[in-house]
Amino acid sequence: MNFKDLILQGIPSTLPEKRTYDPSVNHAPKRKEILNAEEKNLALRNALRYFDPEHHTTLIAEFKEELETYGRIYMFRFKPTYDIYARPVEEYPGSCLQARAIMLMIQNNLDPKVAQHPEELITYGGNGAVFQNWAQYLLVMKYLAQMEDDQTLVIYSGHPMGLFPSNTNAPRVVVTNGMMIPNYSQPDHWEKFNALGVTQYGQMTAGSFMYIGPQGIVHGTTITVLNAGRKIAKNKEDLAGKVFITSGLGGMSGAQPKAGNIAGCITVCAEINPKAVHTRHSQGWVDEVCTDLNELTNRVNLAKQNKEVVSIAYQGNIVDVWEHFDEEDLFVDLGSDQTSLHNPWAGGYYPAGMSLEESNDMMANDPEEFKIKVQESLCRQTTAINKHTKKGTYFFDYGNAFLLEASRAGANIYKNNKGEFVNSKTFKETDLENAAFAYPSYVQDIMGPMCFDYGFGPFRWVCASGLQEDLDKTDQIATDVLEKLKLEAPEEIQSQLSDNIKWIKNAKANNLVVGSKARILYADAVGRTEIAKAFNKAIAENKIGTVVLGRDHHDVSGTDSPFRETSNIYDGSRFTADMAIQNVIGDSFRGATWVSIHNGGGVGWGEVINGGFGMVLDGTVEAENRLKSMLFWDVNNGLARRSWARNKEAIFSVKRAMEQEPKLKVTLPNLVDDALFSE
């Protein structure tokens, strides 16, 4: 059978040959033993319901082996034999263009060049899954190939519940991931119910089919590092010769050294997994690899002396780097961390003093001891960072739950009113929500007030033709639109527009594409709408092919995350999730092609609710109407909430939006004089 026939087949009626485990692929670690004997039988029953009873005798033994060996049932036998990557949209079967575009996006998320653990259907973050198993993938692709323009595919945590009649204006796909009852949303609940095969962790853009490789976070990290550099600049100097230390080269974290190069600093990024180091080095995302701390120190000092722009991967543990640089008195200008601390007990963070293999064995076979080792390591890392910041290092949490997990580990990650580093034991448990971390979240210091409150966030698109020439044309279209908008834009957003014009002009030269022909930039509602309208016009004039629009969930409106996206909300509402829920509901009836809502994005299960969308542009008038309606809402929903929280930049932005659209009427806050509380 050819590719289209295999898609239309879905789950094959004849069992394919059992696949051998490929040790050369970067596999997910074994998940912890969490099910009792009765629950293991339930997990097997849940897995077998995808298959004809005539195959159950064969498959039950195989699935039992997978559950015992990996802690999950992935159904490796059913992984397709064809290559998985983003093909041109015309190569997918089916009569519905929107459905074919979604198939393209799904395959891009599972492309081995893009995905962190492709065999286990995990795109990034250690556990950010597109599907729980290969049967779900096969069924979803079949349903999409069968879909008509007035049907909607409903997906519960990777499982396709089925095609339902709807209408042409409804989303083609609605995705929910990890929507647990609140009292069942602790980390171990994910382990248990995921092992049972009834829920999954979709991360942010993995379970939304909108991940475009590390390019997305290259852009965000570039902006973050540039602005962090501006915060520490004494005389408006750039980052030449300054050192940025961080960790993680896996999924999204792999973008950090490339961003450091674009920002113009010396980047040291530690990673314990040699496969991840090799992947990023071979892709050109990191310049050099070092395995010895003394050699690393000498190399960094040389780079400082020569003011080089260079990125260096240290194959080892980040804790050792922080401690060694302190001992050698090597000054660090900027510091952060991008290990997957939203997932600290299952491969997201590897403790100091243990090898990768030792850690993987312990997390599977002695999870309680592994947790102790992780928390000990976090305390060591925090102690070392504190020593550096006393010397003048600017350290910020980069949204990976470092501050949160370090606090839970008992690290001295808080500061009291005397400026002393203290741990959570110093505070009453009831006061922890109001306790001051010693270091800011990058959203509090940079992205919130400088980007999100002005409506600027990660707008992205994919050229469904797969043609480089189409991507080049869209780059130019976006540049032209932003340059035109900049001519009349208010002073408050001139720097945001300038940064993104510079970014998009250099995007191709920076060789950012991995997988689909995709691009990202930061834009507000006006910028997103005008760029999308220009794309749609170009499609109508046959200048480019179909375009898929989307964004990261890490944006103005899509995510309620008290320790990241909404950490600069100070009216007490940062622990609520109304914005994210309203966002996905509003997107769904304003024209999105597909929508998703997840529990547990970048900072951890139970810590965040986040939503995303995808929108297919086909050059029609209907597509233009949808994009104008949906993109305006998708941004201004968040601006309204941020404005109500009394964020002055958001108040400015909402007032401007109401001037541009008379039908927008937002409740504005009345500000209270601080002097009323002075007595």
Side-chain angles (χ1 to χ4, degrees), residues 285-304:
W285 290 75
V286 64
D287 299 325
E288 301 174 12
V289 176
C290 189
T291 58
D292 181 85
L293 285 170
N294 291 320
E295 290 179 9
L296 177 66
T297 303
N298 293 336
R299 181 67 186 92
V300 172
N301 280 324
L302 179 63
K304 287 175 61 119

mmCIF file of all heavy atoms in Angstrom, residues 285-304:
data_model
loop_
_atom_site.group_PDB
_atom_site.id
_atom_site.type_symbol
_atom_site.label_atom_id
_atom_site.label_comp_id
_atom_site.label_asym_id
_atom_site.label_seq_id
_atom_site.Cartn_x
_atom_site.Cartn_y
_atom_site.Cartn_z
ATOM 1 N N TRP A 285 23.115 24.017 16.263
ATOM 2 C CA TRP A 285 22.453 24.873 17.255
ATOM 3 C C TRP A 285 23.391 25.225 18.410
ATOM 4 O O TRP A 285 23.087 26.105 19.204
ATOM 5 C CB TRP A 285 21.193 24.186 17.780
ATOM 6 C CG TRP A 285 20.125 24.128 16.737
ATOM 7 C CD1 TRP A 285 20.085 23.295 15.654
ATOM 8 C CD2 TRP A 285 18.969 24.954 16.632
ATOM 9 N NE1 TRP A 285 18.980 23.549 14.888
ATOM 10 C CE2 TRP A 285 18.261 24.562 15.468
ATOM 11 C CE3 TRP A 285 18.442 25.980 17.411
ATOM 12 C CZ2 TRP A 285 17.084 25.163 15.064
ATOM 13 C CZ3 TRP A 285 17.258 26.577 17.015
ATOM 14 C CH2 TRP A 285 16.594 26.170 15.850
ATOM 15 N N VAL A 286 24.507 24.528 18.520
ATOM 16 C CA VAL A 286 25.536 24.871 19.501
ATOM 17 C C VAL A 286 26.885 24.720 18.807
ATOM 18 O O VAL A 286 27.089 23.802 18.005
ATOM 19 C CB VAL A 286 25.427 23.987 20.766
ATOM 20 C CG1 VAL A 286 25.678 22.522 20.459
ATOM 21 C CG2 VAL A 286 26.356 24.472 21.864
ATOM 22 N N ASP A 287 27.809 25.628 19.092
ATOM 23 C CA ASP A 287 29.061 25.690 18.325
ATOM 24 C C ASP A 287 30.080 24.645 18.746
ATOM 25 O O ASP A 287 30.722 24.012 17.908
ATOM 26 C CB ASP A 287 29.693 27.086 18.481
ATOM 27 C CG ASP A 287 28.811 28.188 17.954
ATOM 28 O OD1 ASP A 287 28.103 27.953 16.950
ATOM 29 O OD2 ASP A 287 28.816 29.292 18.541
ATOM 30 N N GLU A 288 30.274 24.479 20.062
ATOM 31 C CA GLU A 288 31.348 23.622 20.555
ATOM 32 C C GLU A 288 30.826 22.731 21.683
ATOM 33 O O GLU A 288 29.832 23.057 22.327
ATOM 34 C CB GLU A 288 32.515 24.477 21.072
ATOM 35 C CG GLU A 288 33.108 25.410 20.016
ATOM 36 C CD GLU A 288 34.162 26.347 20.594
ATOM 37 O OE1 GLU A 288 34.599 26.117 21.754
ATOM 38 O OE2 GLU A 288 34.541 27.311 19.904
ATOM 39 N N VAL A 289 31.544 21.620 21.902
ATOM 40 C CA VAL A 289 31.203 20.700 22.986
ATOM 41 C C VAL A 289 32.417 20.532 23.886
ATOM 42 O O VAL A 289 33.547 20.378 23.401
ATOM 43 C CB VAL A 289 30.758 19.324 22.448
ATOM 44 C CG1 VAL A 289 30.503 18.348 23.595
ATOM 45 C CG2 VAL A 289 29.520 19.460 21.577
ATOM 46 N N CYS A 290 32.195 20.552 25.187
ATOM 47 C CA CYS A 290 33.271 20.391 26.158
ATOM 48 C C CYS A 290 32.826 19.396 27.228
ATOM 49 O O CYS A 290 31.663 19.410 27.642
ATOM 50 C CB CYS A 290 33.602 21.745 26.787
ATOM 51 S SG CYS A 290 35.076 21.723 27.823
ATOM 52 N N THR A 291 33.747 18.543 27.666
ATOM 53 C CA THR A 291 33.408 17.536 28.678
ATOM 54 C C THR A 291 34.241 17.674 29.955
ATOM 55 O O THR A 291 34.079 16.899 30.887
ATOM 56 C CB THR A 291 33.606 16.113 28.113
ATOM 57 O OG1 THR A 291 34.969 15.966 27.684
ATOM 58 C CG2 THR A 291 32.671 15.862 26.934
ATOM 59 N N ASP A 292 35.142 18.656 30.005
ATOM 60 C CA ASP A 292 36.022 18.844 31.160
ATOM 61 C C ASP A 292 35.821 20.251 31.716
ATOM 62 O O ASP A 292 35.867 21.241 30.968
ATOM 63 C CB ASP A 292 37.485 18.644 30.752
ATOM 64 C CG ASP A 292 38.433 18.804 31.923
ATOM 65 O OD1 ASP A 292 38.645 17.815 32.643
ATOM 66 O OD2 ASP A 292 38.941 19.933 32.118
ATOM 67 N N LEU A 293 35.609 20.356 33.014
ATOM 68 C CA LEU A 293 35.305 21.648 33.629
ATOM 69 C C LEU A 293 36.474 22.631 33.548
ATOM 70 O O LEU A 293 36.273 23.833 33.357
ATOM 71 C CB LEU A 293 34.888 21.456 35.085
ATOM 72 C CG LEU A 293 33.473 20.900 35.306
ATOM 73 C CD1 LEU A 293 33.275 20.516 36.766
ATOM 74 C CD2 LEU A 293 32.421 21.929 34.892
ATOM 75 N N ASN A 294 37.699 22.137 33.680
ATOM 76 C CA ASN A 294 38.856 23.029 33.580
ATOM 77 C C ASN A 294 39.011 23.558 32.158
ATOM 78 O O ASN A 294 39.299 24.745 31.954
ATOM 79 C CB ASN A 294 40.129 22.301 34.029
ATOM 80 C CG ASN A 294 40.130 22.024 35.529
ATOM 81 O OD1 ASN A 294 39.706 22.861 36.329
ATOM 82 N ND2 ASN A 294 40.606 20.851 35.914
ATOM 83 N N GLU A 295 38.804 22.677 31.186
ATOM 84 C CA GLU A 295 38.864 23.124 29.799
ATOM 85 C C GLU A 295 37.750 24.126 29.512
ATOM 86 O O GLU A 295 37.953 25.113 28.787
ATOM 87 C CB GLU A 295 38.742 21.924 28.854
ATOM 88 C CG GLU A 295 39.949 21.007 28.851
ATOM 89 C CD GLU A 295 39.762 19.817 27.919
ATOM 90 O OE1 GLU A 295 38.770 19.805 27.156
ATOM 91 O OE2 GLU A 295 40.599 18.902 27.957
ATOM 92 N N LEU A 296 36.582 23.870 30.077
ATOM 93 C CA LEU A 296 35.461 24.786 29.892
ATOM 94 C C LEU A 296 35.799 26.159 30.464
ATOM 95 O O LEU A 296 35.551 27.196 29.816
ATOM 96 C CB LEU A 296 34.215 24.220 30.580
ATOM 97 C CG LEU A 296 32.961 25.100 30.535
ATOM 98 C CD1 LEU A 296 32.451 25.245 29.108
ATOM 99 C CD2 LEU A 296 31.858 24.502 31.426
ATOM 100 N N THR A 297 36.370 26.192 31.653
ATOM 101 C CA THR A 297 36.735 27.460 32.283
ATOM 102 C C THR A 297 37.728 28.230 31.426
ATOM 103 O O THR A 297 37.577 29.438 31.198
ATOM 104 C CB THR A 297 37.328 27.209 33.677
ATOM 105 O OG1 THR A 297 36.387 26.482 34.462
ATOM 106 C CG2 THR A 297 37.661 28.522 34.378
ATOM 107 N N ASN A 298 38.753 27.545 30.941
ATOM 108 C CA ASN A 298 39.766 28.194 30.100
ATOM 109 C C ASN A 298 39.147 28.726 28.809
ATOM 110 O O ASN A 298 39.493 29.818 28.348
ATOM 111 C CB ASN A 298 40.897 27.214 29.775
ATOM 112 C CG ASN A 298 41.705 26.832 31.008
ATOM 113 O OD1 ASN A 298 41.747 27.588 31.993
ATOM 114 N ND2 ASN A 298 42.344 25.674 30.976
ATOM 115 N N ARG A 299 38.217 27.909 28.230
ATOM 116 C CA ARG A 299 37.601 28.332 26.966
ATOM 117 C C ARG A 299 36.737 29.571 27.167
ATOM 118 O O ARG A 299 36.742 30.490 26.332
ATOM 119 C CB ARG A 299 36.745 27.181 26.403
ATOM 120 C CG ARG A 299 36.071 27.505 25.071
ATOM 121 C CD ARG A 299 37.087 27.665 23.961
ATOM 122 N NE ARG A 299 36.488 28.106 22.715
ATOM 123 C CZ ARG A 299 36.369 29.377 22.335
ATOM 124 N NH1 ARG A 299 36.796 30.349 23.148
ATOM 125 N NH2 ARG A 299 35.846 29.695 21.171
ATOM 126 N N VAL A 300 35.998 29.617 28.275
ATOM 127 C CA VAL A 300 35.140 30.769 28.537
ATOM 128 C C VAL A 300 35.977 32.013 28.813
ATOM 129 O O VAL A 300 35.668 33.112 28.317
ATOM 130 C CB VAL A 300 34.183 30.484 29.713
ATOM 131 C CG1 VAL A 300 33.426 31.743 30.123
ATOM 132 C CG2 VAL A 300 33.199 29.386 29.333
ATOM 133 N N ASN A 301 37.047 31.874 29.563
ATOM 134 C CA ASN A 301 37.915 33.021 29.834
ATOM 135 C C ASN A 301 38.528 33.569 28.552
ATOM 136 O O ASN A 301 38.646 34.794 28.382
ATOM 137 C CB ASN A 301 39.013 32.639 30.826
ATOM 138 C CG ASN A 301 38.527 32.641 32.269
ATOM 139 O OD1 ASN A 301 37.699 33.471 32.647
ATOM 140 N ND2 ASN A 301 39.032 31.716 33.078
ATOM 141 N N LEU A 302 38.899 32.687 27.637
ATOM 142 C CA LEU A 302 39.439 33.123 26.348
ATOM 143 C C LEU A 302 38.374 33.874 25.546
ATOM 144 O O LEU A 302 38.652 34.917 24.938
ATOM 145 C CB LEU A 302 39.936 31.914 25.554
ATOM 146 C CG LEU A 302 40.526 32.213 24.159
ATOM 147 C CD1 LEU A 302 41.780 33.090 24.289
ATOM 148 C CD2 LEU A 302 40.857 30.908 23.434
ATOM 149 N N ALA A 303 37.161 33.337 25.564
ATOM 150 C CA ALA A 303 36.068 33.989 24.843
ATOM 151 C C ALA A 303 35.762 35.361 25.435
ATOM 152 O O ALA A 303 35.477 36.320 24.701
ATOM 153 C CB ALA A 303 34.821 33.106 24.887
ATOM 154 N N LYS A 304 35.836 35.472 26.755
ATOM 155 C CA LYS A 304 35.612 36.772 27.410
ATOM 156 C C LYS A 304 36.685 37.772 26.995
ATOM 157 O O LYS A 304 36.405 38.935 26.683
ATOM 158 C CB LYS A 304 35.613 36.607 28.935
ATOM 159 C CG LYS A 304 34.385 35.929 29.512
ATOM 160 C CD LYS A 304 34.513 35.703 31.001
ATOM 161 C CE LYS A 304 34.679 36.979 31.772
ATOM 162 N NZ LYS A 304 33.602 37.215 32.751
#
